[in-house]
Amino acid sequence: MKLGILINEGPFTHQASDSAYQFATAALKKGHEIIRVFFYHDGVYNSTKFADPPSDDRNLVQQWSKMAEEHGVELIVCVAAAMRRGINDDALAPGFQISGLGQLIEAGIEADRLVTFGD
Amino acid sequence: MAEEFDDEFDGPVKRFLFVNRKAPYGTVYALESLEVVLISAAFDQDVSLVFVDDGVFQIVKDQDTDGINMKNFSRTYRALEGYDVEKLYVEKESLDARGLTEDDLLVDVEILDSQGLSDLMDAQDVVITS
């Protein structure tokens, strides 16, 4: 199945990004295709390379980057939401790209299921 | 041609439902979600909006945000018609719980009970909630 994922919350305060990552990992393992992960609202904070959590905690930004590298998963950060929050190309961790909301609608059109993770 | 597509967007059309659950101010969800609605309309999708829980406050008349230094974006809901977004729904239970009626709303809506809302969601291809 082709899956799209929408993440509406940043890392740590909410579990949304953790749950989405675990869902994506399980889906890939079962042979499903993740056509795109789209980061919106505070979800854009998942993309910043400046995140530096304590070493005994999970690092969600790195986890997403690794998934992009190993499975070719597209990680799209909404440009308008990112600009409001001080995130630009210089802040992006590997594998993340900034693009427009059209990418979210396209994911909804192209995927068999669009799954939202939020508050 | 078995299927007819709109002249501007030459692609498939899906049924998108945007579920608005949050008050217009206090968090950014309502404002940023409205931006997604406008983009989905630009892609000529079959768009519906439903307002539930505190989301019903998004379309209450006579909003005045002067005192909180926030942009009053409630007029945008009235402009949706111009983007061919005309299917707006409100859950009856959410209105009742807040002492609101259809007359308090700034756009024309169809009132649904929670069963009607469930049926509406069932009929969609894509549901985006915020």
Side-chain angles (χ1 to χ4, degrees), chain A residues 6 8-9 40-41 80-81 84-85 101-102 104-106 108-109 111 114 116 119, chain B residues 12 14 16 21-22 28-29 31-33 35-36 39-40 43 45 126 128-130:
Chain A
L6 169 61
N8 287 338
E9 298 295 342
Y40 197 45
H41 302 301
R84 279 197 178 107
R85 292 165 177 83
L101 274 174
L104 170 60
I105 302 304
E106 263 184 30
I109 294 169
L114 178 69
T116 304
D119 182 16
Chain B
K14 280 194 171 181
F16 277 73
R21 299 178 300 144
K22 304 281 175 75
V28 80
Y29 298 103
L31 175 67
E32 285 191 332
S33 296
E35 291 177 15
V36 187
I39 298 288
S40 66
F43 275 74
Q45 299 299 295
V126 182
I128 295 181
T129 304
S130 60

Side-chain angles (χ1 to χ4, degrees), chain B residues 47-86:
Chain B
V47 180
S48 304
L49 272 70
V50 64
F51 300 88
V52 297
D53 301 339
D54 279 350
V56 298
F57 288 121
Q58 293 179 25
I59 50 169
V60 162
K61 274 181 194 163
D62 299 327
Q63 295 179 27
D64 178 1
T65 58
D66 283 351
I68 56 171
N69 194 28
M70 303 280 268
K71 186 165 72 176
N72 180 351
F73 59 94
S74 61
R75 257 165 293 166
T76 313
Y77 297 100
R78 295 185 68 103
L80 287 175
E81 212 178 356
Y83 294 86
D84 291 328
V85 176
E86 290 165 335

Side-chain angles (χ1 to χ4, degrees), chain A residues 79-118:
Chain A
V79 60
M83 283 173 72
R84 279 197 178 107
R85 292 165 177 83
I87 290 172
N88 58 24
D89 284 330
D90 296 337
L92 292 185
F96 289 90
Q97 301 167 61
I98 290 181
S99 190
L101 274 174
Q103 300 279 321
L104 170 60
I105 302 304
E106 263 184 30
I109 294 169
E110 287 166 20
D112 298 308
R113 294 281 188 283
L114 178 69
V115 188
T116 304
F117 293 85

